[in-house]
Amino acid sequence: MSSIAISPGHYGVGTGAKDIIDEVAEARKVVDRVAYLLEKEGVKVYKIVDNRSKSQSQNLNYLISEHNSKNRSLDVSIHFNSSGNRTDQPLGTEVLYRDEALKTFAGKVSQAIANASGLKNRGAKKRTDLAFLNGTKKPAILIEVCFVNSLQDVIIYQSKFQEICEAIAKECLAFIAPNLEKEKSNLEQIEKEIQNNLPSIGNSNEQFTSPELKKRLEAILKDKKMIEVMIQKGISEQAINANWMEKLKNGSLSSADLLGLCTLIIEHQIKKCEKIMSIG
Ligand SMILES: [Zn+2]
């Protein structure tokens, strides 16, 4: 099972950056929402929230040891940035990483947040001086969602909160379960092909005088297994040619064909009965 450990930075409201919004309060909201979205996708999520530390160093030690105690494949820390004085300028989102191998992933997350929200994309930033990135033992990123002192950033963040969280969740999911999306779309494709390959009525010129008959036939035509059994029965009784199974499988069997085949199969059975009766 895919798993992730995610935590908001710092240890209590007011212990991080604060200006138009409070970093810690917002980081906790983002963590809650991202965790919820990932759990919905079947990911095991370890949400780590520090409500007991009394200092920044206690907090970092706590977060690092909690993250490292979990059986997870990705460590994510959520923060909000600050550049000091309040500004009307948009400043944007960025994702910090330490290991070179995570540069691409960090860049993707930053880009995805920017695309989803309209926040300026500051991109992936290599940092070798951050305790969280240095101390956690699994691949780790630290997301600086936006700047708490930028009016533009805060307006965008507040109106695009859901989209931002979805972007983070989606990129994390793609990182920890890269085959999941592919498997899902493959499965959908196969199901679609099976449906498309089944003969359908409605686009033919046949007219049904009984709606009930049409309904029952439509139900059978959606049942590939049943059609397969019917054709197999016809082939094994030598009522119809074996290549009709090929036609069913490659999708070229029409509903008119099926009607014809069923007629042949029944005709064959009637003749067989007549033969037996005449011998008798
Ligand atoms: Zn922070």
XYZ file of all heavy atoms in Angstrom, residues 9-10 16-17 23 78-81 144, ligand 1:
79
model
N 4.395 22.770 9.136
C 5.584 23.264 9.826
C 5.235 23.954 11.134
O 4.105 24.400 11.331
N 6.226 23.997 12.043
C 6.114 24.719 13.327
C 5.220 23.993 14.329
O 4.848 22.850 14.091
C 5.714 26.179 13.083
C 6.549 26.798 11.996
N 7.827 27.225 12.194
C 6.288 26.981 10.664
C 8.325 27.677 11.040
N 7.419 27.542 10.100
N 5.033 30.447 13.442
C 5.668 30.555 12.124
C 5.534 31.972 11.599
O 5.412 32.919 12.385
N 5.549 32.111 10.287
C 5.412 33.441 9.686
C 3.975 33.920 9.843
O 3.039 33.127 9.809
C 5.777 33.373 8.204
N 0.843 31.487 9.083
C 1.431 30.325 8.418
C 0.948 29.009 9.011
O 0.527 28.104 8.293
C 2.958 30.372 8.508
C 3.596 29.105 7.944
C 5.109 29.049 8.122
O 5.672 29.904 8.828
O 5.711 28.128 7.545
N 4.578 21.104 5.052
C 3.854 22.238 4.460
C 4.155 23.528 5.231
O 3.985 23.582 6.453
C 2.323 21.982 4.481
C 1.964 20.689 3.730
C 1.567 23.192 3.913
C 2.107 20.738 2.229
N 4.611 24.530 4.506
C 4.907 25.841 5.089
C 4.328 26.949 4.222
O 3.886 26.703 3.104
C 6.434 26.064 5.169
C 7.116 25.258 6.218
N 7.639 25.822 7.361
C 7.363 23.926 6.296
C 8.188 24.864 8.107
N 8.032 23.704 7.476
N 4.355 28.154 4.794
C 4.058 29.356 4.020
C 5.246 30.288 4.190
O 5.868 30.335 5.249
C 2.762 30.025 4.506
C 1.516 29.331 4.016
C 1.181 28.068 4.484
C 0.687 29.939 3.083
C 0.031 27.417 4.025
C -0.466 29.298 2.625
C -0.785 28.042 3.090
N 5.553 31.010 3.152
C 6.741 31.834 3.089
C 6.475 33.254 3.600
O 5.323 33.663 3.709
C 7.157 31.938 1.619
C 8.629 31.655 1.440
O 9.419 31.893 2.339
N 8.984 31.156 0.270
N 6.473 25.495 0.157
C 6.134 26.852 0.605
C 4.977 27.298 -0.283
O 5.173 27.760 -1.410
C 7.337 27.794 0.433
C 8.574 27.424 1.264
C 8.534 27.969 2.691
O 7.480 28.499 3.112
O 9.556 27.863 3.381
Zn 7.641 27.850 7.993
